[in-house]
Amino acid sequence: GFFQSHAVEVDIKDASNATCLYANWMMRFLITYESNTSDYKTTALNLSSSVTHNGSVCGNDTQAALVAVQFGEGHSWSMNFTKNNETYQGDLITFTYNTNDTAVFPDAKRKGPVSVVVKDTTRPVQLNNVYVCHNTDFFEAENVTQIFWNITVQPFVQNGTVSKKESRCRADMPTSAPTVLPTTANVTTVSTTTLSPAPTTPPKPVENPDTGNYSLKSGNKTCFLATVGLQLNVSQDKPLLININPKTTVADGACGNTTATLRLNDGNSTLISF
């Protein structure tokens, strides 16, 4: 499985033993490093079952809150939160990995800790609301991809009780299928015989998705090309078919020496990542 990792739960108490910062999430790291033979390899770093949270700070009106965790053979991750009037917001994410960990970096040319700092781009959250994001989120910087999912976090907890009011990330918000006018050339009927068990109300026939041409550049050279029509089939309370509309979809990502990532975004939401 791609997401083999342990969940992290951090419950920080203040001087009166009341919860002041709560976080529960899952994360994984993909790291590209130089080997002893001077080629580049990509390795996965997962959280271990034993995680400490030394250095975490409650925070207040003048001091940022900080959630800091340590795991494995000298690896650590931290994120600070600032409070502004009636909202709070993530600020800087600092990830330090240790290439002396031979289980993860068996042939690393550079030995020792390496730190990567990235700015959190999550929008501000109302105070006394807990931020929730079940969908996967990515941060890429300096040959490291940080992957997060199943996030529940609230800094500056009031009265020692984690709020029941949720602020959901954009990726968790329900979306509707883009409207594409049908033509006689691209209309296809979805066979109800493929649905088992059949829903009470079968989904309406959906047009074939339009083909999009997506590309990435490294400098002035194209490093990634994709010509593809994409349709998402979401099965939750009821089946939902969503065509990816190339006219409103933007491609971004990065090309490395041994890996490349293509993300297709609609507005501020990541639809799909390769």
Side-chain angles (χ1 to χ4, degrees), residues 4-5 27-31 43-48 71-73 75-76 95-98 101 104-105 145:
Q4 293 182 349
S5 192
M27 62 182 174
R28 188 174 191 256
F29 307 93
L30 299 179
I31 304 165
T43 187
L45 175 59
N46 298 313
L47 291 184
S48 61
F71 58 97
E73 300 296 325
H75 313 296
S76 63
F95 169 53
T96 299
Y97 59 94
N98 185 9
D101 185 351
V104 181
F105 308 95
T145 300

Coordinates of all heavy atoms in Angstrom, one line a residue, residues 4-5 27-31 43-48 71-73 75-76 95-98 101 104-105 145:
Q4 N 1.4 3.5 4.0 CA 1.8 2.7 5.1 C 2.5 3.6 6.2 O 3.6 3.9 6.0 CB 2.6 1.5 4.7 CG 1.9 0.5 3.9 CD 2.8 -0.6 3.5 OE1 4.0 -0.6 3.8 NE2 2.2 -1.7 2.9
S5 N 1.7 4.0 7.2 CA 2.3 4.9 8.2 C 1.4 4.9 9.4 O 0.3 4.3 9.4 CB 2.4 6.4 7.6 OG 3.1 7.2 8.5
M27 N 1.1 11.2 8.2 CA 2.0 11.8 7.2 C 3.1 10.9 6.7 O 3.4 9.9 7.4 CB 2.7 13.1 7.8 CG 3.5 12.9 9.0 SD 4.2 14.5 9.5 CE 5.0 14.0 11.0
R28 N 3.6 11.1 5.6 CA 4.6 10.3 5.0 C 5.5 11.2 4.2 O 5.1 12.3 3.7 CB 4.0 9.3 4.1 CG 4.9 8.2 3.5 CD 4.0 7.2 2.8 NE 4.7 6.0 2.4 CZ 5.2 5.7 1.2 NH1 4.9 6.5 0.2 NH2 5.8 4.6 0.9
F29 N 6.8 10.8 3.9 CA 7.7 11.6 3.2 C 8.4 10.8 2.1 O 8.8 9.7 2.3 CB 8.8 12.1 4.2 CG 8.3 12.8 5.4 CD1 8.1 12.1 6.6 CD2 8.0 14.2 5.4 CE1 7.5 12.7 7.7 CE2 7.4 14.8 6.5 CZ 7.2 14.1 7.7
L30 N 8.5 11.5 0.9 CA 9.3 10.9 -0.2 C 10.5 11.8 -0.4 O 10.4 13.1 -0.6 CB 8.4 10.9 -1.5 CG 7.2 10.1 -1.4 CD1 6.4 10.1 -2.8 CD2 7.5 8.6 -1.1
I31 N 11.7 11.3 -0.3 CA 12.9 12.0 -0.2 C 13.9 11.5 -1.3 O 14.1 10.3 -1.4 CB 13.6 11.9 1.1 CG1 12.7 12.3 2.3 CG2 14.9 12.7 1.2 CD1 13.1 11.9 3.6
T43 N 13.5 7.6 -1.7 CA 13.1 6.7 -0.6 C 11.9 7.2 0.1 O 11.6 8.4 0.1 CB 14.3 6.5 0.3 OG1 14.0 5.5 1.3 CG2 14.6 7.8 1.1
A44 N 11.2 6.3 0.8 CA 10.0 6.7 1.6 C 10.4 6.6 3.0 O 11.0 5.7 3.5 CB 8.8 5.8 1.3
L45 N 10.0 7.7 3.8 CA 10.2 7.7 5.2 C 8.8 7.7 5.9 O 8.0 8.7 5.7 CB 11.0 8.9 5.6 CG 11.2 9.2 7.1 CD1 11.8 8.0 7.8 CD2 12.0 10.4 7.4
N46 N 8.5 6.7 6.6 CA 7.2 6.6 7.3 C 7.4 6.9 8.8 O 8.5 6.7 9.3 CB 6.5 5.2 7.1 CG 6.2 5.0 5.6 OD1 5.7 5.8 4.9 ND2 6.6 3.8 5.2
L47 N 6.3 7.2 9.4 CA 6.3 7.4 10.9 C 6.4 6.1 11.6 O 5.8 5.1 11.1 CB 5.1 8.1 11.4 CG 5.0 9.6 11.0 CD1 3.7 10.2 11.6 CD2 6.2 10.4 11.4
S48 N 7.2 6.0 12.6 CA 7.3 4.8 13.4 C 6.1 4.8 14.4 O 5.4 5.7 14.6 CB 8.6 4.7 14.1 OG 8.8 5.8 15.0
F71 N 10.8 11.2 15.6 CA 10.5 9.8 15.4 C 11.7 9.1 14.7 O 12.6 9.8 14.1 CB 9.3 9.6 14.5 CG 9.3 10.3 13.2 CD1 9.7 9.7 12.0 CD2 9.1 11.7 13.1 CE1 9.8 10.3 10.8 CE2 9.1 12.3 11.8 CZ 9.5 11.7 10.7
G72 N 11.7 7.8 14.7 CA 12.8 7.1 14.0 C 14.2 7.4 14.5 O 14.4 7.8 15.6
E73 N 15.1 7.3 13.6 CA 16.6 7.5 13.9 C 17.0 8.9 13.6 O 17.6 9.2 12.7 CB 17.4 6.5 13.1 CG 17.1 5.1 13.3 CD 17.5 4.7 14.8 OE1 18.5 5.2 15.3 OE2 16.8 3.8 15.3
H75 N 14.9 11.7 13.1 CA 14.0 12.5 12.3 C 13.0 13.3 13.1 O 12.6 12.9 14.2 CB 13.2 11.6 11.3 CG 14.0 10.6 10.6 ND1 15.0 10.9 9.8 CD2 14.0 9.2 10.7 CE1 15.6 9.7 9.3 NE2 15.0 8.7 9.9
S76 N 12.6 14.5 12.6 CA 11.7 15.4 13.4 C 10.9 16.2 12.4 O 11.3 16.4 11.3 CB 12.5 16.3 14.3 OG 13.3 17.2 13.7
F95 N 10.9 20.2 8.5 CA 11.1 18.8 8.5 C 12.6 18.5 8.5 O 13.3 19.1 7.6 CB 10.4 18.2 7.3 CG 10.8 16.7 7.0 CD1 10.7 15.8 8.0 CD2 11.2 16.3 5.8 CE1 11.0 14.4 7.8 CE2 11.6 15.0 5.6 CZ 11.5 14.1 6.6
T96 N 13.1 17.7 9.4 CA 14.5 17.3 9.4 C 14.6 15.8 9.3 O 14.0 15.1 10.1 CB 15.2 17.8 10.7 OG1 15.1 19.2 10.8 CG2 16.6 17.4 10.8
Y97 N 15.3 15.3 8.3 CA 15.6 13.9 8.2 C 17.1 13.7 8.3 O 17.9 14.5 8.0 CB 15.1 13.4 6.8 CG 15.7 14.0 5.6 CD1 16.8 13.4 4.9 CD2 15.1 15.2 5.0 CE1 17.3 14.0 3.8 CE2 15.7 15.7 3.9 CZ 16.8 15.2 3.3 OH 17.3 15.7 2.1
N98 N 17.4 12.5 8.8 CA 18.8 12.1 9.2 C 19.3 11.0 8.2 O 18.8 9.9 8.3 CB 18.8 11.7 10.6 CG 20.3 11.4 11.1 OD1 21.2 11.7 10.4 ND2 20.4 10.9 12.3
D101 N 20.4 7.4 9.1 CA 19.5 6.2 9.2 C 19.7 5.3 8.1 O 19.1 5.5 7.0 CB 18.1 6.8 9.3 CG 17.0 5.7 9.6 OD1 17.4 4.5 9.6 OD2 15.9 6.0 9.8
V104 N 16.7 3.7 6.0 CA 16.0 4.5 5.0 C 17.0 5.0 3.9 O 16.6 5.1 2.7 CB 15.4 5.7 5.7 CG1 14.6 6.6 4.7 CG2 14.4 5.2 6.8
F105 N 18.2 5.3 4.3 CA 19.2 5.9 3.4 C 20.5 4.9 3.4 O 21.5 5.3 4.0 CB 19.6 7.3 3.8 CG 18.5 8.2 3.9 CD1 17.9 8.5 5.2 CD2 17.9 8.9 2.8 CE1 16.9 9.4 5.3 CE2 16.8 9.7 3.0 CZ 16.3 10.0 4.2
T145 N 8.9 15.5 -0.8 CA 7.5 15.7 -0.8 C 6.9 15.2 0.5 O 7.1 14.1 0.9 CB 6.9 14.8 -2.0 OG1 7.5 15.2 -3.2 CG2 5.4 14.9 -2.1

